[in-house]
Structures are given as structure tokens and as C-alpha cells.
Amino acid sequence: ISAVGGYALNGSHSEVDLFLTYMVGDFTIGLGDYFFPEEGREKNNYLNFKKKETSHTVEADVTYAPFQLPFWITASTYVYGNDRKMNEKNYYSTYFELGYYKNFSADSKLSFILGFTPAAGFYSENFNVVNTAVKYDTYIPFNNYKLPVSGSFVLNPNTEKVFLTFSIYLTK
């Protein structure tokens, strides 16, 4: 079980996400709830899960990440919520991700990511590469604790947008 929150410094985007995952061998099966509140939106109620009104989007995913090899493959699909066509039917937007990582030590790794969508939906109007990224994960020592952090350079070739992300992880 995990939770993620995000907020753009310029106020243009925010989200609250909840995830439930289960690992079986080299596979991880997950269910995620993405909530994208919008300032002034009439139907911005967190507890509203009505099909045609909700700001939630529920995603099912599976990841294969063999423990002995430095790569992963993810397939995910939005199965409910705010992923609708103009006729109010769901797109069932699908995303595939391929990733490779290189460990530099027990405390740091560099990942290369390529993500694409096979059809029209949330991510694009047709088949497109929608995510290319380089991500660095490490720890910052803090007294007797190591604080997990990461930084990413993300390019969406489809929209020609670029993002720099910095994350701090609070774990048990």
C-alpha cells in the first residue's frame, strides 16, 4: 500500500494517488487510484466515484522485473473513471513501459525509460511514444537514517514537453 502526492510549483497541476500492489515472484500486480483535483471544478469531490462525474481514474497494471536482470516491462490500463471519450464511454487508455537500470552502488542507480501507448486515449490520439526518461535514485544521509530521493529528466516526444522531477520518499 502506498500513497503519492504531487503539486506543480506554478499551481498548474496537482494529484493524490493511492496504490495497492502485490508481488509474486518477478511480477508485481497493482491497482492505482489517481485523483486530479482542479481548482473551481464543480465535480471536484474526492468521495464522488460516480462514473460520469468522478475526478478519479483507476488503473490496473502488471510489471515483470526479473530479480537477476536489470530491466522491467510494465503494462497498464485505465479501467474506470475520468478516462472518457466525448460520448462518455471509457477509452481504457493503455500504456506500456520498458526500463533498464544500472546500479552504481547499493545506494544509487540510473534508469532509462521508454513508454508508449498503442492507441487513442488519455496519452495520445493514436500510437505514440509518450515517455522517455532518465532517472537517478540515491539516498541522502540524515543522522542515522538514509532519505531516499530521486531526480528525473522526462521528455514526452508526442507533446514535445519536458519535465524535471525531484522526489523525496517517506518509507518505513
Side-chain angles (χ1 to χ4, degrees):
I1 297 175
S2 60
V4 175
Y7 186 78
L9 294 176
N10 67 1
S12 64
H13 176 83
S14 64
E15 67 182 274
V16 177
D17 310 328
L18 301 174
F19 301 97
L20 180 63
T21 57
Y22 182 73
M23 292 184 70
V24 180
D26 292 338
F27 289 89
T28 301
I29 301 163
L31 193 63
D33 172 27
Y34 298 88
F35 179 70
F36 301 102
E38 295 177 34
E39 191 65 36
R41 185 171 177 194
E42 189 175 301
K43 300 172 184 172
N44 203 22
N45 181 343
Y46 186 82
L47 298 177
N48 180 356
F49 286 92
K50 293 178 185 173
K51 185 175 182 174
K52 293 182 180 181
E53 297 178 4
T54 188
S55 290
H56 291 267
T57 306
V58 178
E59 174 187 69
D61 65 81
V62 62
T63 298
Y64 174 66
F67 185 72
Q68 308 84 351
L69 300 172
F71 76 91
W72 71 89
I73 300 170
T74 298
S76 59
T77 298
Y78 287 149
V79 295
Y80 184 82
N82 193 19
D83 176 41
R84 295 180 295 275
K85 303 175 188 179
M86 295 300 288
N87 66 4
E88 297 296 326
K89 293 188 179 191
N90 283 66
Y91 274 113
Y92 297 103
S93 297
T94 300
Y95 172 81
F96 294 99
E97 183 174 280
L98 307 172
Y100 169 82
Y101 65 90
K102 170 72 175 154
N103 286 321
F104 290 99
S105 70
D107 290 344
S108 67
K109 74 177 177 183
L110 185 65
S111 301
F112 300 91
I113 301 160
L114 176 71
F116 64 94
T117 186
F122 174 81
Y123 303 101
S124 177
E125 294 180 8
N126 50 31
F127 173 90
N128 259 307
V129 173
V130 295
N131 182 23
T132 58
V134 177
K135 179 180 180 186
Y136 184 71
D137 292 276
T138 191
Y139 294 87
I140 296 174
F142 185 73
N143 292 330
N144 292 332
Y145 181 73
K146 294 190 300 186
L147 183 65
V149 297
S150 70
S152 301
F153 175 81
V154 182
L155 168 67
N156 180 333
N158 179 53
T159 62
E160 299 180 353
K161 291 187 177 180
V162 66
F163 305 92
L164 289 175
T165 67
F166 300 97
S167 301
I168 299 171
Y169 305 93
L170 303 176
T171 61
K172 181 179 177 187

